[in-house]
Amino acid sequence: MSANVCEVFGSNVFSDVVMKERLPKDIYKALKRTVDNGELLKLEVANVVANSMKDWAIEKGATHYTHWFQPMTGKTAEKHDSFLSPDGIGKAVMEFSGKELIQGEPDASSFPNGGLRATFEARGYTAWDCTSPAFIKDETLCIPTAFCSYTGEALDKKTPLLRSMEAVSAQALRILRLFGNTTTAKVLTTVGPEQEYFLIDKKLYQDRKDLIFSGRTLFGAKPPKGQELDDHYFGSIKERISAYMRELDEELWKLGVTSKTKHNEVAPAQHEMAPIFSTTNIATDHNHLVMDTMCKVANHHDLVCLLHEKPFAGVNGSGKHNNWSISTNDGLNLLEPGKTPHDNTQFLTFLAAIISAVDEYAPLLRMSAANAGNDHRLGANEAPPAIISIFLGEQLNDIVEQIIAGKLSASIEAGVLNIGVSTLPILPKDVTDRNRTSPFAFTGNKFEFRMVGSAQSISGCNIVLNTIVAEHLKRIADELDNAKDFNVKLIEIITKLVKKHERVVFNGDGYSEDWVVEAEKRGLPNIKSTVEALTYFNNEENVKLFTDHKIFTKEEIDARQEIMFEEYAKTINIEALTMVEMAKKEIIPACIEYATTLADSICSIKAAVASAVTTAQEEVLIKISTLIAEVQNKVAALEVEVEGATSHSDIEDQAFAFREKVFIAMGDLRVPCDALESIVSEAYWPYPTYSDLLFRV
Ligand code: ADP
Ligand code: MG
């Protein structure tokens, strides 16, 4: 397989180029006005577009179409309809109307909705998101859509993301206008998500119930070798994996996903893929396609792709680095520090807004990266920490320090604003220093939010990022609107904000114990678990934020919070039940069998030679028997806790019980099981070990 990348790229996408080629000029222009400026789309236009899309899709071998959407499960959903339509005289024609393109009504009543859809009115609608191009997957024309209820409430992850993009655009434009920019029409947030994943052998995977049911290992003794030699990170890629990555690239390119970088990650069997960044909603759609394709392609190679945040205890987990920036529709990156002082003040305004937003709304950002899987990474024994802080790098930090020292002044010299900070002009694009331990790091012309979990949709974190930045840009624009002297006021605002929120800036080692202590002194929140993080979602301040910017209604927030608590409780419940089953039906029987063999061997040895010494075997036997008893006790204890947790009728109480009781009892059960694994003969052990899973790919 040696594809011509240029030919393959986007071949399954109804892209701008394809539309330009196939649509009548006036229709193309009308559609562009909708895509670029949000102009209302006329049904006549939609009819022509739909027909052209259908013809194109059929030429590509498609027979069906689907409204592809992102329900609250965090995955994508599709219900396929064929283009087939009876022609009335016993034959069929292939049809697709503008109405079918614009709106769909999948029943879809089984998706979580947090009470937003009463069962008697279970209608849900899908609406075409024409800003994200349609594509063909599995002989089906996929139309990216938003999903909402009969009464217009968002039931998905795309609608609020689009709302947040509009919010940040509106506020950023106000700032740009104040700086005299009259040409920019729209401001867009851009995202490049780096995706980490594990690949393991399919046959081994099938022998582990925990991987099948929960996506992670619930048991497993530490292998003799892990990641300590750092020999996997960026290491040469095995042939089997390389073949996988090649096919993955090709499939993604066909879908228009700009898969760019691939390499081995820190842990054995762990890898990473990064695309070239794009507009946030397209990047989000594409990241879903990436996760989907990663899993599908693995199957072709007798591999299984694990997207779980922590498939193996004691081994590096997987995250998603959400590289985020803001740029104008005319191509200016607003987080580019710039070469002239004037650009720099504008840059500093955006920087001040972001620093303030991240500090003030840290719990929301933390929440946006919260799920049961990510609890094993954030604030556990691995990076990044659960404390939100910003890494600015030496140069920006220096600027911040000078601002705090009061050195930012607005003296007008020869018509140019001189902000009087000596180090300001001409920052090189690539800031050389990097800090890999920071959850939110400035990397030259963008911020990298590193907390997001590998299996999560990136819409959550980008909704939060866009909204909190919109809020702070709004506050700045409000103040500047009323300023008598723009320059003086601007300097005053930047200085005030930087001084107030400086506490969130931290350039040191985010993994160190000292930082935890220091952060506490600074009053920064350290939110350790998903359940705790979720409680912040609907507090007064955050409800005000989301409703002010029309991202969520109060009802939508409550519904989402409920869904997330429920998802957490269900996840832990499944994990706990899987552990119970594996312990009872696999581990204990295997250990008893081995113990019996040992006992038989002791008896036969003694029968053969009465004076033979069998203390070694006896010691092992005693140890195993003791551990089996312990496993039995811990299983019973776990069962009690599961029952206790499930008995709570309030979903928040239930989720907390799963975290505080069940999760702990699961940890307790794992200890004797893993101890048994390390002394019981491999021939008897009921499932593949960490060594098998991590090294036999
Ligand atoms: P690293 O591993 O060093 O962080 P990668 O090259 O793996 O770097 O990933 C960097 C990501 O950041 C890529 O997806 C890249 O496209 C993205 N990126 C670059 N510029 C921007 C930008 N202006 N906005 C959003 N993402 C960006
Ligand atoms: Mg990165």
Side-chain angles (χ1 to χ4, degrees):
M1 187 181 14
S2 58
N4 178 339
V5 181
C6 299
E7 245 169 59
V8 164
F9 188 80
S11 56
N12 283 346
V13 184
F14 196 68
S15 61
D16 195 55
V17 181
V18 178
M19 288 195 276
K20 207 171 191 169
E21 220 174 76
R22 303 181 75 114
L23 294 174
K25 232 188 198 134
D26 55 325
I27 299 288
Y28 172 77
K29 277 193 181 150
L31 181 62
K32 274 299 259 187
R33 284 198 297 276
T34 305
V35 174
D36 293 341
N37 318 326
E39 239 177 58
L40 200 74
L41 187 81
K42 293 205 179 85
L43 190 61
E44 303 93 84
V45 176
N47 276 329
V48 181
V49 177
N51 198 50
S52 162
M53 245 186 211
K54 176 208 68 186
D55 289 343
W56 170 81
I58 290 173
E59 278 167 37
K60 296 257 165 207
T63 50
H64 288 67
Y65 72 91
T66 181
H67 277 196
W68 183 75
F69 60 104
Q70 294 158 28
M72 296 299 301
T73 55
K75 308 266 182 326
T76 55
E78 46 197 81
K79 177 184 150 201
H80 300 189
D81 277 299
S82 73
F83 291 120
L84 188 119
S85 176
D87 69 351
I89 49 168
K91 289 264 180 202
V93 286
M94 299 293 253
E95 268 178 4
F96 186 48
S97 69
K99 198 168 162 286
E100 286 168 313
L101 166 64
I102 294 176
Q103 188 184 325
E105 196 198 326
D107 172 30
S109 51
S110 293
F111 288 116
N113 63 69
L116 285 180
R117 290 168 82 189
T119 31
F120 62 86
E121 185 37 278
R123 277 184 204 201
Y125 291 96
T126 48
W128 181 29
D129 169 19
C130 62
T131 60
S132 181
F135 54 90
I136 293 172
K137 185 170 71 87
D138 308 327
E139 274 112 53
T140 301
L141 170 68
C142 299
I143 299 146
T145 55
F147 180 47
C148 62
S149 76
Y150 183 64
T151 40
E153 278 120 349
L155 294 173
D156 68 346
K157 301 210 170 199
K158 184 190 265 276
T159 309
L161 180 66
L162 292 171
R163 290 174 184 162
S164 75
M165 289 170 71
E166 288 192 4
V168 80
S169 178
Q171 301 306 330
L173 268 182
R174 289 179 64 197
I175 300 283
L176 294 185
R177 296 284 181 263
L178 285 162
F179 273 91
N181 176 328
T182 54
T183 48
T184 294
K186 197 169 165 182
V187 171
L188 297 153
T189 47
T190 51
V191 165
E194 299 162 55
Q195 176 73 49
E196 292 180 333
Y197 62 101
F198 277 85
L199 287 175
I200 60 166
D201 189 89
K202 192 169 158 190
K203 279 194 211 74
L204 299 173
Y205 166 89
Q206 281 163 341
D207 284 337
R208 292 210 49 146
K209 287 196 178 128
D210 47 4
L211 286 176
I212 293 172
F213 293 137
S214 70
R216 75 175 180 104
T217 54
L218 299 165
F219 299 102
K222 258 203 160 70
K225 178 178 188 286
Q227 64 200 44
E228 49 284 280
L229 292 179
D230 293 323
D231 50 354
H232 193 257
Y233 186 58
F234 283 13
S236 93
I237 302 173
K238 286 183 188 163
E239 267 176 46
R240 188 173 173 197
I241 302 302
S242 189
Y244 165 87
M245 287 178 168
R246 247 193 325 273
E247 190 184 334
L248 177 67
D249 270 344
E250 196 163 323
E251 289 305 315
L252 291 175
W253 290 336
K254 281 187 206 162
L255 292 166
V257 179
T258 50
S259 177
K260 171 91 173 153
T261 311
K262 53 186 178 186
H263 61 80
N264 285 348
E265 253 304 324
V266 171
Q270 191 185 29
H271 316 279
E272 184 186 293
M273 191 287 295
I276 297 172
F277 70 95
S278 52
T279 322
T280 314
N281 69 320
I282 294 179
T284 306
D285 286 357
H286 281 182
N287 185 250
H288 278 294
L289 288 176
V290 165
M291 292 192 281
D292 202 45
T293 313
M294 280 180 167
C295 296
K296 272 191 191 150
V297 171
N299 209 24
H300 302 168
H301 298 260
D302 282 323
L303 294 165
V304 170
C305 171
L306 301 178
L307 290 171
H308 193 282
E309 284 76 12
K310 193 75 175 173
F312 306 98
V315 174
N316 194 50
S318 295
K320 193 132 55 185
H321 291 174
N322 190 80
N323 294 276
W324 178 93
S325 191
I326 329 180
S327 62
T328 65
N329 67 314
D330 36 6
L332 192 73
N333 182 346
L334 297 171
L335 297 188
E336 188 77 63
K339 291 199 165 69
T340 67
H342 180 272
D343 283 342
N344 284 344
T345 29
Q346 186 178 296
F347 166 75
L348 284 183
T349 309
F350 280 92
L351 182 69
I354 293 169
I355 293 175
S356 312
V358 171
D359 182 36
E360 181 172 341
Y361 294 105
L364 271 187
L365 268 180
R366 168 67 183 85
M367 184 203 75
S368 77
N371 72 6
N374 226 10
D375 275 0
H376 299 281
R377 296 174 67 232
L378 310 180
N381 40 9
E382 118 168 43
I387 306 160
I388 301 264
S389 65
I390 303 180
F391 170 81
L392 287 178
E394 220 175 295
Q395 283 160 310
L396 285 195
N397 201 54
D398 191 40
I399 292 167
V400 162
E401 271 166 20
Q402 296 197 42
I403 293 172
I404 291 164
K407 289 192 186 150
L408 191 65
S409 62
S411 52
I412 307 292
E413 273 172 18
V416 178
L417 181 70
N418 175 355
I419 52 174
V421 178
S422 57
T423 52
L424 258 184
I426 315 177
L427 287 181
K429 186 175 169 191
D430 290 312
V431 209
T432 46
D433 51 347
R434 278 296 194 98
N435 180 325
R436 303 251 165 216
T437 64
S438 175
F440 201 83
F442 185 71
T443 51
N445 59 1
K446 61 184 187 296
F447 278 96
E448 185 172 355
F449 183 43
R450 298 204 182 99
M451 269 190 174
V452 189
S454 49
Q456 288 187 299
S457 158
I458 52 167
S459 70
C461 68
N462 288 303
I463 291 168
V464 170
L465 261 173
N466 291 345
T467 310
I468 63 178
V469 171
E471 167 64 17
H472 273 272
L473 291 174
K474 175 180 178 289
R475 290 187 205 169
I476 295 173
D478 285 349
E479 272 197 71
L480 287 173
D481 275 346
N482 303 320
K484 277 199 207 81
D485 183 324
F486 176 80
N487 293 321
V488 170
K489 189 74 193 172
L490 182 67
I491 301 305
E492 185 193 307
I493 293 171
I494 293 176
T495 309
K496 176 187 75 185
L497 286 177
V498 168
K499 274 188 182 161
K500 184 168 170 198
H501 297 287
E502 167 213 13
R503 63 173 193 164
V504 77
V505 176
F506 176 63
N507 294 299
D509 179 3
Y511 299 173
S512 73
E513 274 305 306
D514 297 350
W515 170 231
V516 178
V517 178
E518 165 71 17
E520 195 177 339
K521 264 195 226 143
R522 295 190 190 185
L524 300 179
N526 183 357
I527 303 167
K528 296 212 174 75
S529 68
T530 293
V531 285
E532 199 189 327
L534 286 179
T535 59
Y536 289 87
F537 199 176
N538 59 354
N539 69 23
E540 207 178 310
E541 183 194 350
N542 293 333
V543 168
K544 184 169 175 352
L545 169 81
F546 286 124
T547 50
D548 277 357
H549 292 274
K550 303 200 165 34
I551 311 301
F552 294 123
T553 60
K554 170 78 166 66
E555 291 70 31
E556 286 173 335
I557 293 174
D558 290 340
R560 264 151 221 266
Q561 188 198 41
E562 187 184 315
I563 291 168
M564 286 152 93
F565 274 128
E566 203 177 319
E567 183 187 274
Y568 180 84
K570 281 181 179 164
T571 304
I572 305 296
N573 189 38
I574 292 170
E575 290 184 348
L577 296 180
T578 307
M579 284 188 93
V580 168
E581 182 166 318
M582 286 174 75
K584 278 186 180 170
K585 292 194 184 165
E586 297 182 0
I587 298 173
I588 294 176
C591 293
I592 290 177
E593 216 181 314
Y594 183 56
T596 310
T597 313
L598 272 177
D600 287 351
S601 123
I602 295 166
C603 290
S604 10
I605 292 170
K606 291 262 193 209
V609 186
S611 62
V613 180
T614 54
T615 41
Q617 291 94 315
E618 282 165 34
E619 260 171 40
V620 180
L621 184 55
I622 290 168
K623 195 149 187 209
I624 290 175
S625 302
T626 315
L627 283 167
I628 293 175
E630 204 181 316
V631 172
Q632 220 141 21
N633 287 337
K634 302 292 182 200
V635 166
L638 177 56
E639 284 179 311
V640 169
E641 296 300 358
V642 170
E643 205 180 312
T646 333
S647 70
H648 288 281
S649 54
D650 180 78
I651 190 63
E652 180 169 340
D653 293 344
Q654 200 181 103
F656 267 89
F658 271 104
R659 167 70 188 186
E660 286 163 0
K661 306 276 188 191
V662 178
F663 186 69
I664 305 298
M666 284 163 58
D668 292 344
L669 169 57
R670 180 169 182 153
V671 176
C673 294
D674 291 356
L676 280 164
E677 186 187 317
S678 63
I679 52 170
V680 168
S681 159
E682 230 169 56
Y684 287 76
W685 202 248
Y687 46 76
T689 63
Y690 271 27
S691 305
D692 297 329
L693 295 167
L694 291 167
F695 294 98
R696 281 177 46 199
V697 193

